């Protein structure tokens, strides 16, 4: 019997380090460094210094303490003293956190200065590479200026992403270059203004060769995760997909004629030039990197001119190609279509389940996995590759025939009850903002249900069960009930809560109510308990109606032959 | 490259309050960081990071309510960040190696087991790690953990139970067994 099968508690106790080596001197060094940087070295209770560590840490601080105009920093991260120029010495580069929580990672030997601009923060990049991660919740703009261009970086990259735009900016003797990893950048070079999206690069000089983004970020310590996913995916594709073969025209003059017509009309071709489709060995699937959603089986990626599907089930491929969302079983949402396409250069984990929007597939199409690699013209955009071109490939190789059908699903309208609202608009300052916390630590838990019921102001935001988990978090029942605690909640927040309780069903807001409210909503475990709860507790009324939604029916599909 | 944090220079003396906090809690912070990171350098950096934030930003209100809990949570979170950062660097260095080179070898000794345990703990929810380290490194009871982290004993018990179950699963995966 292996050790793992013994009580895990025994394992945990056995794994306890018997002693913590050198704790006292380490703490002394920490205290000294804290004191040294505040000019109070005499306060240090213990004076034990380690030469190696001092050279790594304190050299930076001593230099800072000297308040020199140029800081030479070795291997670390800094909270930025604005207006001071920094040079990343040593081989490890430097991480800088700006006052608005945006982060700049400097490659070794990069040099820059940070200063205030009329519209936000301006990074003046003298030389070298930096990767800028713009804080999502920030005021103003963050710009990077080199000698021949200015890059404005957007704070908003994607609703689901924690950070704003992430971009690499390089300043060299010959010119400058910007590559966007996430989000969007606007590059101003002289009178021209160019928008750069993820995976794209712009340079000011033809002598600067474009390189793949993964090569560009290889030096970054934070690029590791992205690189790992990227590498894992690439290896998986290499291990599972077959050789590329030219796609023959589909039989039938109509198709050929239609293709010719599109080409003659100048429309972008809707067929991949080459493709490979091969079944994956179910006993030898490529692994998913630890902690990542993408990079393993059922991952999908596009790069300029290429589309990859790594060991995906045909049903999931069909969902991706036809632009449907992965709605779970039981969902009543009428919104079955994806609002956005897939971005280039991002590896996305698609999951093994095609969801309820794709129906009629035989079992093998939901269980067997195939890897796909397809090649198109380099300038083909992602929406075209993942949409019409991928559909065409599936139709060709899997003999796929489909049609779109509609069905009715329950929906609700929300109005104010005849008796009027039972919640009152929140007074200014009626909720308590969570205080800022040091980076890397968790937000302080919000006011609990008991505290708020006892008269305390609720913490601003929508909280499940009155503690710990912000919006989108898991439900925390209160004696079997679901409880929401709102500080400054809006009617949109209420609609969102109701939708969650009603399996994603559409809820149309016809209340005409605006403003913010503090309220507690407690709902018991019944299927539609939310309906009576909002009436009794909030003074709102839910009336059932119907909505229609689309789904895709697979009429026929065949296992693909060899390439 | 270890995380080091520098800050804007001022000439204010370190406050007595900070000195008290450091004196009373730095050992807990360091030992916690060492349990999670298994590295004296990372533990030192984490300790430094935790107190440096206080130096720079002052003592936040939430800390005065429960300084031990606040500093402990900060230590766990910074430690997890340090471990993940270290793993990312290691993975990036391995990126060019073959599949076989990245497979995890099965456990054969206590040291292996400790290493594997240390490697899978960061995959847990930070809240679970907070409770796990208090329980098995600092020998807190569930009631004491709840008191320190501001939650109930029942929540602690359930979180620890789930964390142990997840650890078991992660260890099985790490040892190459089929679950």
């Amino acid at each position: 019997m292996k050790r793992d099968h013994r009580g895990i508690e025994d394992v945990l106790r056995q794994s306890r380090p018997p002693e913590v080596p050198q704790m006292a001197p380490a703490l002394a060094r920490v205290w000294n460094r804290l004191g040294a940087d505040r000019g109070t070295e005499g306060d240090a209770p213990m004076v034990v210094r380690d030469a190696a560590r001092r050279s790594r840490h304190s050299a930076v601080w001593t230099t800072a303490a000297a308040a020199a105009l140029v800081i030479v920093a070795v291997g670390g991260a800094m909270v930025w003293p604005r207006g001071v120029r920094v040079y990343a010495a040593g081989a490890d580069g430097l991480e800088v956190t700006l006052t608005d929580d945006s982060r700049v990672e400097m490659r070794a030997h990069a040099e820059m200065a940070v200063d205030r601009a009329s519209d936000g923060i301006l990074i003046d990049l003298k030389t070298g590479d930096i990767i800028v991660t713009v804080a999502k919740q920030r005021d103003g703009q963050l710009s990077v200026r080199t000698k021949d261009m200015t890059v404005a970086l957007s704070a908003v990259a994607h609703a689901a992403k924690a950070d704003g735009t992430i971009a690499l900016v390089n300043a060299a003797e010959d010119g400058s270059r910007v590559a966007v990893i996430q989000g969007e950048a606007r590059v101003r070079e002289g009178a021209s203004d160019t928008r750069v999206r993820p995976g794209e690069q712009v340079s000011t000089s033809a002598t600067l060769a474009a390189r793949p983004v993964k090569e560009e970020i290889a030096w970054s310590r934070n690029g590791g995760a992205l690189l790992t996913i990227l590498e894992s995916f690439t290896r998986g594709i290499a291990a599972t997909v077959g050789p590329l073969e030219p796609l023959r025209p589909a039989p039938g003059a109509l198709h050929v004629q239609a293709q010719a017509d599109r080409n003659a009309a100048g429309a972008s071709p809707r067929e991949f030039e080459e493709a490979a489709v091969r079944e994956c060995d179910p006993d030898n699937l490529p692994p998913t990197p630890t902690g990542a959603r993408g990079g393993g089986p059922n991952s999908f990626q596009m790069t300029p001119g290429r589309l990859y599907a790594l060991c995906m089930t045909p049903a999931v491929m069909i969902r991706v190609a036809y632009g449907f969302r992965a709605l779970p079983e039981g969902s009543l949402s009428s919104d079955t279509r994806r609002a956005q396409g897939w971005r280039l250069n991002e590896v996305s984990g698609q999951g093994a389940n095609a969801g309820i929007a794709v129906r009629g597939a035989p079992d093998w199409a939901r269980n067997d996995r195939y890897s796909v690699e397809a090649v198109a013209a380099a300038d083909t955009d992602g929406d075209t590759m993942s949409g019409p071109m991928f559909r065409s490939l599936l139709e060709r190789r899997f003999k796929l025939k489909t049609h779109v059908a509609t069905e009715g699903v329950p929906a609700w309208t929300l109005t104010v009850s005849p008796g009027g609202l039972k919640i009152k608009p929140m007074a200014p300052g009626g909720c308590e903002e969570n205080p800022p916390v040091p980076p890397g630590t968790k937000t302080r838990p919000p006011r609990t249900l008991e505290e708020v019921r006892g008269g305390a102001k609720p913490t601003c935001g929508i909280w499940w069960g009155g503690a710990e988990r912000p919006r989108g978090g898991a439900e925390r029942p209160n004696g079997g009930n679901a409880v929401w605690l709102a500080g400054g909640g809006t009617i949109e927040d209420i609609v969102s809560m109701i939708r969650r309780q009603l399996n994603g069903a559409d809820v149309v807001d016809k209340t005409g109510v605006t403003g913010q409210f503090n309220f507690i909503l407690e709902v018991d475990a019944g299927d539609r308990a939310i309906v009576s709860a909002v009436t009794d507790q909030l003074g709102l009324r839910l009336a059932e109606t119907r909505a229609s939604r689309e789904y895709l029916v697979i009429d026929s599909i065949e296992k693909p032959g060899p390439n | 490259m270890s995380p080091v944090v520098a800050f804007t220079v001022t000439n204010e003396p370190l406050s007595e309050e900070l000195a008290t906090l450091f004196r009373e809690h730095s050992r807990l912070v360091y030992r916690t960081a060492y349990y999670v990171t298994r590295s004296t350098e990372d533990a030192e950096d984490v300790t430094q990071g935790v107190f440096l934030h206080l130096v720079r930003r002052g003592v936040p209100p939430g800390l005065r309510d429960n300084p031990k809990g606040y500093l402990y949570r900060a230590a766990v979170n910074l430690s997890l960040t340090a471990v993940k950062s270290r793993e990312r660097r290691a993975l990036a260095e391995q990126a060019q190696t073959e599949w076989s080179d990245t497979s995890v070898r099965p456990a054969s000794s206590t040291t292996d087991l400790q290493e594997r345990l240390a490697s899978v703990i960061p995959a847990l929810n930070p809240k679970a790690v907070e409770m796990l380290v208090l329980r098995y490194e600092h020998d807190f009871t569930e009631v004491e953990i709840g008191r320190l982290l501001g939650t109930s004993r029942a929540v602690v018990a359930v979180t620890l139970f789930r964390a142990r179950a997840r650890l078991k699963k992660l260890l099985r995966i790490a040892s190459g067994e089929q679950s």
Side-chain angles (χ1 to χ4, degrees), chain A residues 375-444:
Chain A
V375 181
D379 59 350
T380 311
D381 65 82
D383 288 344
T384 304
M385 278 199 292
S386 64
M389 294 177 75
F390 197 20
R391 287 201 288 273
S392 176
L393 178 64
L394 295 174
E395 287 164 8
R396 178 191 292 272
R397 296 304 306 274
F398 288 86
K399 306 282 189 294
L400 175 67
K401 288 189 170 57
T402 64
H403 72 273
V404 174
T406 59
E407 65 180 352
V409 286
W412 303 79
T413 55
L414 184 69
T415 55
V416 177
S417 294
L421 273 182
K422 293 184 178 177
I423 50 178
K424 293 181 180 171
M426 185 184 77
C431 64
E432 190 178 63
E433 290 290 350
N434 236 340
V437 294
T441 60
K442 291 186 74 173
T443 306
R444 192 180 76 171

Side-chain angles (χ1 to χ4, degrees), chain A residues 153-315:
Chain A
L153 301 172
S154 167
V156 180
H158 188 280
K161 292 190 185 298
D163 292 317
T165 294
I166 303 175
L168 177 139
V169 186
N170 163 265
E173 277 188 20
D174 297 340
S176 309
R177 174 169 50 204
V178 58
V180 174
I181 298 161
Q182 172 183 305
E184 184 179 286
R186 296 182 76 91
V187 178
R188 202 162 57 246
E189 181 192 356
S192 72
D193 197 344
T194 311
R195 180 175 296 184
V196 190
R197 293 184 300 177
E200 297 177 345
Q201 294 183 32
V202 166
S203 64
T204 59
S205 168
T207 60
L208 294 175
R211 290 185 294 170
V213 172
K214 72 173 188 179
E215 283 182 23
E216 295 274 17
I217 63 167
W219 56 269
S220 164
R221 76 184 87 169
N222 299 318
L226 179 62
L227 196 60
T228 303
I229 293 170
L230 218 53
E231 291 289 346
S232 168
F233 184 87
T234 307
R235 286 184 299 196
I237 285 288
T240 58
V241 84
L244 287 167
E245 290 197 356
L247 287 174
R248 289 168 297 180
L254 278 178
H255 170 86
V256 175
Q257 185 59 47
Q259 184 72 35
D261 289 347
R262 277 198 298 269
N263 291 343
S268 57
R270 297 301 171 112
E271 297 276 5
F272 286 108
E273 294 165 5
E274 296 177 302
V277 179
R278 195 162 81 173
E279 187 171 2
C280 296
D281 177 359
D283 297 324
N284 194 25
L285 293 174
T288 301
T290 308
R293 292 184 63 191
N298 276 309
S299 294
F300 179 76
Q301 187 201 23
M302 290 182 292
T303 59
R306 297 246 171 184
L307 177 146
Y308 303 97
L310 176 56
C311 295
M312 286 170 71
T313 63

Side-chain angles (χ1 to χ4, degrees), chain B residues 115-133:
Chain B
E115 284 175 4
R116 282 192 290 119
L117 190 67
S119 71
V120 298
I121 280 180
L124 298 176
N125 181 309
K127 182 65 83 184
V129 179
E130 288 170 8
M131 294 180 184
L132 211 63
V133 178

Side-chain angles (χ1 to χ4, degrees), chain B residues 30-90:
Chain B
Y30 184 92
R31 193 170 172 93
T32 299
Y34 184 71
Y35 185 86
V36 177
T37 64
R38 304 293 164 128
S39 155
T40 52
E41 287 212 341
D42 283 343
E44 186 172 335
D45 285 341
V46 166
T47 309
Q48 178 175 293
V50 167
F51 287 97
L52 198 56
H53 285 303
L54 301 183
V55 171
R56 183 173 184 275
R57 298 182 177 218
V59 177
L63 185 143
R64 291 203 172 94
D65 296 342
N66 180 7
K68 191 173 181 180
Y70 183 100
L71 293 171
Y72 175 74
R73 279 197 297 268
V76 169
N77 284 305
L78 283 182
S79 302
L80 291 174
T81 304
V83 172
K84 286 171 184 169
S85 174
R86 196 170 62 198
E87 284 173 354
R88 279 198 297 270
R89 288 197 300 277

